[in-house]
Amino acid sequence: MMSRTQGFHPIMEDYVKLRARRSWLVALAVTAVFTATAGTATAETPGYVALGDSAAAGPFVLPVDDSSPGCLRSLADYPHAVASQLGLDLADVTCSSAATADMTAPQQTSKGPVAPQLDALTTNTGTVTLTIGANDIGVAATVVSCVLNPSCADRLTAGGHDQLAEKIGAFAPRWGELIDQIKTRAPNAKVYVVGYGTYFPHNGCWPGIPVTAEDANYIQDTIGRLDTMLALEAAVHGAKFIDIRPPSVGHDMCAAPWTKWFEGLIPTSIAAPLHPNKTGMAAIGTYAANAIQGG
């Protein structure tokens, strides 16, 4: 509208001057309304988008987010804790069972497909958290296999080839590309990759969790290797890594029910097995919020 008024050259006749003035006032009024509307839309656009898998979504942790039932997302997951502490408007699109491919393509859930998670990003997004990778390499399936068939560490490293380490190496470039895609869609956002934490203490806690000491160490070493690779990709691609391993020491699956952040195979609180519980989500959220606040 302003381009039309700027291209208008009024003639000297009073009538035309009056019409030109009225047209300019109408254009100004419409522009003001449009600007006010745009401002409102921007203010309502979430500035914080949370992306990731069940380690971020918090399956079965109460209260449940009914907006996307198939994702088993909690309203008490760590993204909500981050948003509450930092006073951010949150779009939480984390989804249980999500893998890297589900960031850019629809994810199939028990309740139907959900949109690609990156679709939640806009140029107004100022903060992004991402927890991804465990489902790409099959961490949960490995824990179950180690319970059912002990000495899984020997099998998975037979012949000098660590199968999970090789998967981590193979997926690393894709995690880096994902960070690049996030930054492309949300060019004004700071991106934080949130790690997975300490699930097993050294040597585990047989028989509380029926995994041998060797297998427990292998699983935790693999989680550590995953976190280290995510940290490397974050650094290379201009994101920041939030390491949950140090603060979660002593809050592993073997800890007392009132201390643990992560549930074992038989949960002692309302949460999915092998996942953060409500206490863990709150603690992880606080730690992540402090890291984000610190820059």
Side-chain angles (χ1 to χ4, degrees), residues 51-160:
L51 311 170
D53 57 24
S54 54
F60 306 145
V61 174
L62 300 178
V64 174
D65 182 355
D66 292 326
S67 66
S68 185
C71 285
L72 301 178
R73 187 166 55 237
S74 171
L75 292 174
D77 59 12
Y78 86 68
H80 279 82
V82 168
S84 177
Q85 182 161 327
L86 299 183
L88 300 175
D89 292 325
L90 170 65
D92 186 356
V93 293
T94 59
C95 194
S96 297
S97 300
T100 298
D102 299 312
M103 301 296 105
T104 54
Q107 179 181 346
Q108 299 300 321
T109 75
S110 61
K111 302 297 183 180
V114 295
Q117 292 191 28
L118 295 199
D119 284 1
L121 300 172
T122 73
T123 55
N124 294 317
T125 304
T127 303
V128 176
T129 57
L130 169 68
T131 298
I132 203 69
N135 292 322
D136 293 321
I137 67 170
V139 171
T142 298
V143 176
V144 174
S145 72
C146 291
V147 172
L148 298 176
N149 299 289
S151 300
C152 65
D154 290 338
R155 293 194 305 276
L156 292 171
T157 59

Side-chain angles (χ1 to χ4, degrees), residues 3 22 69 103 143 202 240 265 286:
S3 61
R22 288 177 177 174
M103 301 296 105
V143 176
H202 182 65
K240 294 187 177 181
L265 292 168
T286 295

